Amino acid sequence: MMSVSVRDALRRAAARLLNLFGRSAQQRREDQERLRMAAAVFDCTLEGVLVTDRQGLIVHVNRAFMRITGYQQDEVLGQRPSKFKSGRHGVPFYQRIYATLAEKGEWSGEIWNRRKSGEIYPQWQTIRAIRDDNDELSHYVAVFSDISAIKHTEQELAFLAHHDPLTNLPNRLLFNDRVEQALASAQANKRGCALLLLDLDHFQSINDGLGHTVGDQLLKLAGERLAQVLGNGVTLARLGGDEFGVLAENCQQVGQAGKLAQALIERMGEPFEFDGHRLFISVSVGISLFPSDALSAEQLLRNADAALFKAKHNGRACYALYTEELTAHAQQRVETAGELRHALAHEELRVFFQPVFDLFTSKMVGVEALVRWQHPLRGLVPPSEFIPIAERTGLIAEIDAWVLREACRQMVRWQADGRTLAFVAVNISSRLFGQRELYRQVAQVLLETGLAPELLELEVTESAVMEDPEVALEQLHRLRELGLSLAIDDFGTGYSSLLRLKRLPVQKLKIDQGFVAGLPMDDDDIAIVRVIIALAHSMGMQVHAEGIEQAEQARFLLEQQCQLGQGYWFGRPVPAGELCWG
Ligand code: C2E
Ligand code: MG
Ligand code: MG
C-alpha cells in the first residue's frame, strides 16, 4: 500500500507535467508564429543574413544574402563563412572577432568580403552568438549590409577635401600632411628631403588680361607639365592661386634640388598653346632642405617661402636656396669655429705688425699687432674672416690674450735689440673688454714678459666702449692704472656721446679708415676728419689716422695737425722679422 504522502507527491508531479505540457504546447504555437514572422522579415530585409550552427557551418541564408554575395543558397549551405574571405584582413582580425563573441556574445564592425564574382567589398556586419535554454551555444547569426556605395562617397569626399578640383593635384592640406610624413620617415631613416615652392611669375596679368577661364586652363596645363617633369615618387601639389609645392624625398643635396628646380624652370619656359593662345610664363622657385635648413614641416615651408621671395627678388624665372645665405653660412661658422680652436692649440695663428708713423717727423714710432691665421689649406686668412666667428663663439678672448702675449714678447725682443719704438698697439675685442678680469690678465702678461707698461697700448673699439659706458669707464680706469695707454679704434663709426668721451681715460683716437679713404677730395670726409682732429685736441688726446694709402692723404692729415698715421702708404702688416726699420 502506498502511503498518502507518496500518492500526493505523484499527483503533484503529474499535474506539474501536464501543466508543463500544456504550456509548452502553447509556447510551441507562439514560437511557430514568431518563426513565420521572423522568416518573412528575414526574407524581405535588405540586410544579408547568414546563420551557422555551433560548428560554424552555414545552415541558413536569406534572399538579400544571395543578392549581395551572388551565391545561391545551395552553394553555401554546409560551408563555412571563411569561403567569403577577401584576404584583406589578417588572422589577428578574425581572432579579435571570436574573442569578442566569446566574451560579449556580439560583435559589429566593418569587414571586407568577396562576392562570387571575385570582387571584394566592404560590409557592415553584426554577428551574434545564440544560446539555447541550457545556455549552450547553438548558432551564430550574422546580419550585414553592403557599404561599398557609402565608402565610395566617403572616398570621393576625402578626395575632394584633399585635392584641388581644377588640377586634381593634392591641395595644401594633403601636402602639409605628406611633408610631415616624409620628415618623420626621413628622420627615422637618416635621409633628407627637399621642399620646393613654385610661383608662376606675373600670372595675375594673364588672369586680368585674358580672363579667368584662360587663367584656369593655364594653371591646369602648368600642373600637368610639372607633373611630367617630376614623375612618380615626388609629390606635386597646388597650394593655392598660382603656387605649387614639390616634395622630393630622398633629395638632400643642394645640387640635386637645384637641378630639379632648373629642370622645372626650363620646362615651364616653353610656350603654352591652347584655344588659339600662345602664352609664355616663367616660374620662380624657393628651396629648403631637410634636415640642413629646418627640422619641422612648418619651418621647412617657411624657409622655402623665404627662398621663393628671394628668387622673386632676384629677378624671377630662377631658383633660390634657403641654405645659400643662412644655413651654409651657419654651417661654415660651425666648421670654422672648430678649426679655430684647433688653430689656437696647434699654433696656426700669427701676429703681424703694421708700422705707425709720426707724420710730423716721418719716422716709425710704433706698431699695431694684427692677428693672422696660417690655415694649412686656405693659406693666410685675414681676421675679417674669423674674428666675427671667434667673437660669436667666445674664442676671441683666448685669441686676444694670445696676441697680447706674443706682441709684448716681441716688443721686449725689439727693445733688447735696440730697436726703439714708443708703443706696440694690441686690439682688444668687446668680448674680452667686457670681462672684469681683463686688467689682471694684462698685468700678468706684463709681468711675465717684462714689458714696461708705458710701451703697451690697448685699442678698444668705439662700439665696445659705448655698449655699456659705465662698465667701460670702470674697466678703462683699471687698465689705465696699470700704466699702459688706451686708444679708441675705428673712431667715428659708433655713436659716442661727447660728454662721455670727455670722461674716458683715453689718450688716443684712431680715425676710422672709412673717412680717410675719401681724403683729400670728399667734402664730407674732409669735414668729419677735421672735426675728429679738433675734438681730440680739445680733449687733450692724440689723433691717429688709419688706412692711409696715398701721399696726398698723409699730406692732408699733416696739414690738419694729425700726428700719427698708419696705412699701406707707410707699410703693410708684416711678420716681425720683415718690418722695415728705415
Ligand atoms: P683695425 O684694428 O682697425 O686694423 C686696421 C686694419 O686696417 C687692418 O686690417 C689693416 O691691415 C688694415 N689696413 C691698414 N692699412 C690699410 C690701408 O692702407 N688700406 C686698407 N684698405 N686697409 C689697411 P686687418 O689686419 O685685416 O684687421 C682688420 C680688423 O680685425 C682690425 O681692424 C681689428 O678690428 C681686427 N683685428 C685684427 N687683429 C686683431 C686681434 O688680434 N684681436 C682683435 N680683437 N681684433 C683684431
Ligand atoms: Mg686696431
Ligand atoms: Mg681701426
Side-chain angles (χ1 to χ4, degrees), residues 350-352 354-355 368-372 382-388 391 396-397 399-404 426-430 432 459 461 489-490 510-513 546-550 553 566-573:
R350 306 276 179 270
V351 181
F352 277 31
Q354 187 175 26
E368 178 177 5
L370 295 160
V371 70
R372 299 287 181 268
S384 56
E385 282 181 32
F386 64 90
I387 293 271
E391 271 175 343
I396 187 68
I399 293 179
D400 281 358
W402 181 81
V403 172
L404 176 67
V426 177
N427 292 283
I428 299 293
S429 71
S430 59
L432 185 58
E459 294 186 6
T461 58
D489 202 356
D490 303 342
K510 292 187 79 171
I511 305 174
D512 189 73
Q513 51 178 277
E546 307 185 80
I548 301 173
E549 294 184 354
Q550 300 155 15
Q553 292 170 333
Q566 174 185 359
Y568 295 167
W569 175 252
F570 298 105
R572 289 177 180 258

Side-chain angles (χ1 to χ4, degrees), residues 287-457:
I287 304 174
S288 171
L289 298 174
F290 171 88
S292 50
D293 295 348
L295 292 175
S296 72
E298 199 192 333
Q299 189 64 42
L300 201 62
L301 274 157
R302 214 176 312 139
N303 290 354
D305 200 46
L308 175 61
F309 182 80
K310 201 163 89 185
K312 291 262 175 197
H313 189 76
N314 289 351
R316 298 182 159 89
C318 65
Y319 70 86
L321 294 161
Y322 177 76
T323 32
E324 218 168 47
E325 243 162 39
L326 309 165
T327 316
H329 275 161
Q331 205 153 344
Q332 204 188 345
R333 273 204 303 277
V334 172
E335 274 169 24
T336 308
E339 283 187 322
L340 253 183
R341 214 158 268 134
H342 176 93
L344 251 176
H346 292 81
E347 299 182 350
E348 286 173 18
L349 297 185
R350 306 276 179 270
V351 181
F352 277 31
F353 296 91
Q354 187 175 26
V356 177
F357 270 65
D358 183 323
L359 298 180
F360 300 150
T361 62
S362 295
K363 285 215 155 57
M364 177 166 78
V365 288
V367 286
E368 178 177 5
L370 295 160
V371 70
R372 299 287 181 268
W373 180 5
Q374 187 63 54
H375 192 283
L377 300 173
R378 286 158 69 188
L380 205 61
V381 185
S384 56
E385 282 181 32
F386 64 90
I387 293 271
I389 294 166
E391 271 175 343
R392 222 163 299 147
T393 56
L395 213 58
I396 187 68
E398 263 177 79
I399 293 179
D400 281 358
W402 181 81
V403 172
L404 176 67
R405 184 168 285 115
E406 289 298 306
C408 289
R409 260 191 211 143
Q410 185 55 52
M411 190 65 170
V412 169
R413 254 178 251 143
W414 279 324
Q415 297 292 114
D417 291 350
R419 306 251 191 231
T420 47
L421 285 175
F423 63 89
V424 59
V426 177
N427 292 283
I428 299 293
S429 71
S430 59
R431 188 94 179 212
L432 185 58
F433 185 68
Q435 291 181 5
R436 250 189 89 84
E437 297 307 298
L438 173 64
Y439 75 99
R440 270 197 211 165
Q441 220 172 315
V442 176
Q444 179 69 27
V445 171
L446 288 172
L447 199 73
E448 265 176 39
T449 58
L451 182 70
E454 58 275 17
L455 296 182
L456 177 63
E457 181 176 290

Side-chain angles (χ1 to χ4, degrees), residues 12 102 147 224 244 291 367 441 501:
R12 275 201 302 273
I147 56 169
E224 283 167 16
F244 293 85
V367 286
Q441 220 172 315
L501 196 61

Side-chain angles (χ1 to χ4, degrees), residues 21-22 65 97 206 329 437:
F21 182 73
F65 171 94
I97 296 181
I206 290 182
H329 275 161
E437 297 307 298

